Amino acid sequence: MSVEWTELPPEIIETISKRLTIYADYLRFRCISRTFLSSIPKTPLHLPPQLPCLILSHQSFFDLSTHKTHLFNHPLPSHNRTRFCGSSHGWLVILDQTPQILLFNPITRVTLFLPPINTFPNVVSFDYSNIGREYFVRNPSGELVYFNLKEMCNDFLRKIVLSSSPSLNDEFTAFAIVGCNDSNNLAFCKKGYNSWILLSEEEIYHFWEDVVYHNGLFYAVSKEGTIAVCDVEVPRVSIIHMTAPVEFFGDIFYTVFSGEEMLLVTRILEQDFSDAGGVSVYRTVGFEVFKMDWNVMTWNKIETLGDKALFVGGNSSVCFSANDFIGCCADCIYFTDDYSESNQDDVCGKHDFGIFRLRDRVVDPLLPSDSRNSYSRLGCPLPVWISPNPC
């Protein structure tokens, strides 16, 4: 005998819901009827990582699966001088021109705070009354320099990544690339910490470009291809220098794990001039991808990602199988501008984001042609990828 959907027993409804892997599908399934709504938990704990969407502003985001721009029902915490300093496990790291470091989940609207910027050990002092020189900082070479509020917001922290969702794991760790000028350092804190901890400064005077979390460890990379393997439980840093020199070509470096394979992604920029008065801007023209060979400790260039897609920018870099998601293309790198708050794009109202097809070596537009140039940087942080997470 056939049974109407609305007459299914609650245990069957819940069993079906646990086979759904896309959060949007799960929400639609809950809304079929009141019986479904009451039979299915509001928060699904079984979902795998979701396809990232692009946060365009405090009030809008672009959904790859629908290829449409949507508005937030509840806008993000906003301020004219905010910056997205990272995105991990569905949480945004938000800075403004105060010492606060905010964690915010756009799905659950939960807000948490990490220890403030002035608790980093290399921040010697902070004083609001010392206008224009509020922060006194010791850089990795030992030099003491002053930073104002804007400089500290934009330049002191390169990126913060999380080991896990703060809602799911009370032992989550936040890991930061911190510093200034020609070198920087690595730091971390855990839930409940009142301040940040700098990792050992010996032998790590590199300009760390990116960091990613994998299997209990943080992996940072420099432009020379050097790897810092960071165990925050000890804490300990192991520096891995390449046994064979590799000539990298690129302006920005990212690292990401594809399964158990560690990848290094180099981003190539070219200077261009906008139509708005000949203003100088930068545009991404290509990427190169290298895979780490742990047997001989060297990076090997690869020509294709296979069925994988990478998402890079201000987010913690992530890799997905394109076959698992509608709207996601294989062998592609989805990128957004994260390289300079001072780039002159705000004059011409454009962003440097797009889709790079690795095998064809071409850049395709990310947004529909009628809207791709309508988002200005004025008053908004640089766009950032985020994987929706209801937990």
Side-chain angles (χ1 to χ4, degrees), residues 59-366:
Q59 296 181 314
S60 63
F61 68 94
F62 178 72
D63 186 343
L64 276 177
S65 61
T66 63
H67 211 61
K68 293 181 180 179
T69 299
H70 304 273
L71 297 178
F72 285 115
N73 289 330
H74 298 273
L76 300 176
S78 62
H79 192 283
N80 288 336
R81 296 168 292 182
T82 54
R83 172 190 164 214
F84 296 140
C85 187
S87 164
S88 297
H89 303 283
W91 292 71
L92 292 170
V93 184
I94 302 176
L95 304 181
D96 59 18
Q97 292 184 28
T98 72
Q100 289 184 341
I101 303 176
L102 172 71
L103 295 180
F104 181 73
N105 186 324
I107 299 295
T108 63
R109 300 192 293 279
V110 173
T111 298
L112 298 172
F113 288 93
L114 295 176
I117 290 178
N118 58 306
T119 66
F120 280 92
N122 51 340
V123 178
V124 177
S125 64
F126 168 71
D127 185 359
Y128 268 126
S129 65
N130 194 14
I131 299 174
R133 306 176 77 183
E134 289 84 359
Y135 291 91
F136 199 33
V137 178
R138 186 184 305 277
N139 66 21
S141 63
E143 180 186 6
L144 293 174
V145 292
Y146 283 104
F147 280 81
N148 61 34
L149 297 175
K150 181 178 179 180
E151 290 169 339
M152 205 67 171
C153 176
N154 291 342
D155 301 327
F156 182 70
L157 284 172
R158 182 173 181 86
K159 180 180 283 188
I160 294 176
V161 302
L162 306 178
S163 62
S164 59
S165 169
S167 295
L168 291 178
N169 188 351
D170 286 339
E171 301 300 320
F172 84 91
T173 301
F175 195 95
I177 299 177
V178 56
C180 49
N181 300 330
D182 296 328
S183 59
N184 53 27
N185 213 322
L186 306 171
F188 74 94
C189 70
K190 294 187 176 184
K191 185 175 182 179
Y193 281 28
N194 294 321
S195 61
W196 291 82
I197 296 176
L198 283 180
L199 291 167
S200 171
E201 297 185 6
E202 290 186 21
E203 294 189 88
I204 58 173
Y205 294 126
H206 301 274
F207 192 85
W208 300 108
E209 283 275 295
D210 197 17
V211 62
V212 68
Y213 180 79
H214 182 71
N215 287 346
L217 299 171
F218 289 93
Y219 295 78
V221 295
S222 73
K223 279 190 174 179
E224 298 80 33
T226 300
I227 302 172
V229 183
C230 308
D231 185 345
V232 299
E233 300 302 325
V234 179
R236 180 178 62 227
V237 180
S238 301
I239 304 297
I240 300 176
H241 297 282
M242 300 303 99
T243 56
V246 179
E247 291 296 327
F248 295 115
F249 179 68
D251 299 281
I252 312 168
F253 285 42
Y254 305 95
T255 184
V256 60
F257 274 85
S258 174
E260 295 302 313
E261 295 181 340
M262 185 178 183
L263 304 181
L264 181 65
V265 182
T266 70
R267 181 172 180 170
I268 303 164
L269 304 176
E270 282 190 358
Q271 192 175 34
D272 196 3
F273 293 91
S274 77
D275 297 330
V279 176
S280 174
V281 297
Y282 289 91
R283 291 281 180 263
T284 297
V285 294
F287 287 87
E288 302 286 353
V289 182
F290 301 82
K291 181 173 69 175
M292 181 62 184
D293 186 337
W294 295 104
N295 293 320
V296 294
M297 295 298 180
T298 190
W299 294 104
N300 296 321
K301 185 177 177 181
I302 60 176
E303 302 295 337
T304 178
L305 295 169
D307 71 333
K308 299 297 192 294
L310 306 182
F311 291 78
V312 301
N315 58 297
S316 179
S317 305
V318 289
C319 175
F320 288 90
S321 173
N323 297 329
D324 293 340
F325 298 96
I326 296 174
C328 186
C329 297
D331 198 31
C332 287
I333 300 173
Y334 291 78
F335 65 91
T336 183
D337 45 351
D338 65 319
Y339 47 85
S340 175
E341 293 287 344
S342 60
N343 194 32
Q344 297 293 324
D345 278 1
D346 56 348
V347 176
C348 51
K350 297 179 181 179
H351 287 298
D352 181 20
F353 43 41
I355 307 168
F356 180 73
R357 302 188 182 276
L358 189 59
R359 185 180 294 275
D360 299 332
R361 307 204 59 80
V362 297
V363 176
D364 289 337
L366 176 65

Side-chain angles (χ1 to χ4, degrees), residues 9-22:
E11 59 271 20
I12 298 298
I13 296 173
E14 185 176 7
T15 298
I16 296 173
S17 73
K18 290 180 179 179
R19 294 180 177 273
L20 300 175
T21 59
I22 307 298

